[in-house]
Amino acid sequence: MAATSRGTTPEPPDVRPRLTVLSGPSGVGKSTVVAHMRKEHPEVWLSVSATTRRPRPGEKHGVQYFFVTDEEMDKLIANGELLEWAEFAGNRYGTPRAAVLERLDAGEPVLLEIDLQGARQVRESMTDAQLVFLAPPSWEELVRRLTGRGTEPPEVIERRLDAAKVELAAEPEFDETLVNTSVEDVARELLSLMDVV
Ligand SMILES: Nc1nc2c(ncn2[C@@H]2O[C@H](COP(=O)(O)OP(=O)(O)O)[C@@H](O)[C@H]2O)c(=O)[nH]1
Ligand SMILES: Nc1ncnc2c1ncn2[C@@H]1O[C@H](COP(=O)(O)OP(=O)(O)O)[C@@H](O)[C@H]1O
């Protein structure tokens, strides 16, 4: 059902989009899939997380992430400004709460691209959220993608592959699994799960 333009009429609850969470091991292709999806469907609102990780070449503050200091992250956490947060491979990452709630209230499809620990926290705090796991076609292909991306030194890749083993084992906790063989196919399936197409 399409939303009406009558500003004073509240939307019936069954058309309010569910929050969707996309998780999966580092290097599986989450950013690639999301970028592809949003090129054709910019109406999907992607939360921009805060992180203490350093920007990669080409990453911009406020676009891929809000790049913050340890002290700034401490404050965000202490002030309850994050919907969820986690430490991943030596850095902290968190979802600013207010923007997510605003967009959901406005009836927009909202996507979080976050790690397993964050997905578990969202499951606790927003019980109607839909949790989607992005899986690699094989372990070898995951290693190939993470190494081939060329953005991390070998010791960081090792940490991320250790985390990947834990994340792959948690796949049954998710509502849906999509295997990232084809970016186009996965992007379409994700749009369909989000009721965008
Ligand atoms: N819990 C949580 N995880 C996040 C958040 N933002 C990003 N992540 C996750 O942190 C992990 C590392 O992200 P990043 O350093 O950008 O590396 P990449 O995902 O491998 O490109 C990934 O699993 C992201 O999904 C967040 O706000 N909260
Ligand atoms: N379906 C796919 N087939 C082949 N390579 C892919 C596919 N999806 C992503 N990649 C490549 O894998 C690497 C990691 O993708 P990325 O989107 O950065 O992963 P993530 O955000 O999950 O860490 C990138 O070099 C990307 O171009």
Side-chain angles (χ1 to χ4, degrees):
M1 196 204 302
T4 70
S5 57
R6 285 170 296 165
T8 53
T9 308
E11 285 201 340
D14 64 342
V15 300
R16 186 178 187 264
R18 287 163 86 191
L19 175 64
T20 301
V21 173
L22 182 68
S23 291
S26 186
V28 71
K30 299 179 298 296
S31 309
T32 305
V33 165
V34 170
H36 185 81
M37 183 178 94
R38 293 185 73 233
K39 212 162 51 184
E40 313 233 317
H41 288 277
E43 72 271 29
V44 173
W45 189 78
L46 177 67
S47 165
V48 178
S49 298
T51 183
T52 58
R53 144 161 109 56
R54 297 267 176 83
R56 294 176 186 145
E59 285 185 333
K60 290 200 173 66
H61 184 75
V63 179
Q64 289 82 10
Y65 285 104
F66 296 108
F67 294 98
V68 299
T69 62
D70 267 319
E71 292 70 29
E72 286 167 336
M73 185 62 93
D74 287 343
K75 265 192 208 142
L76 290 173
I77 295 168
N79 293 341
E81 288 181 53
L82 301 180
L83 181 64
E84 59 73 38
W85 70 273
E87 184 162 337
F88 181 91
N91 295 299
R92 284 183 291 171
Y93 299 80
T95 304
R97 181 196 306 274
V100 169
L101 299 183
E102 256 168 44
R103 299 300 172 127
L104 284 174
D105 284 345
E108 294 177 30
V110 173
L111 182 64
L112 308 186
E113 192 211 301
I114 61 176
D115 88 321
L116 170 66
Q117 306 164 75
R120 285 175 173 156
Q121 292 172 47
V122 171
R123 163 135 286 163
E124 290 297 312
S125 61
M126 302 185 76
T127 47
D128 68 337
Q130 149 166 262
L131 269 49
V132 181
F133 188 80
L134 192 62
S138 66
W139 175 259
E140 291 71 28
E141 177 62 14
L142 178 66
V143 175
R144 212 168 9 248
R145 286 183 192 172
L146 189 53
T147 314
R149 189 170 69 186
T151 49
E152 275 83 22
E155 64 273 17
V156 175
I157 291 181
E158 280 308 312
R159 285 182 90 164
R160 285 168 178 253
L161 287 174
D162 282 344
K165 287 179 191 146
V166 176
E167 302 206 276
L168 288 170
E171 188 250 305
E173 294 177 34
F174 285 74
D175 301 310
E176 304 284 345
T177 295
L178 303 176
V179 179
N180 183 16
T181 305
S182 146
V183 172
E184 290 74 20
D185 289 353
V186 174
R188 202 174 318 112
E189 285 160 0
L190 188 57
L191 285 165
S192 164
L193 287 173
M194 295 184 76
D195 284 330
V196 174
V197 292

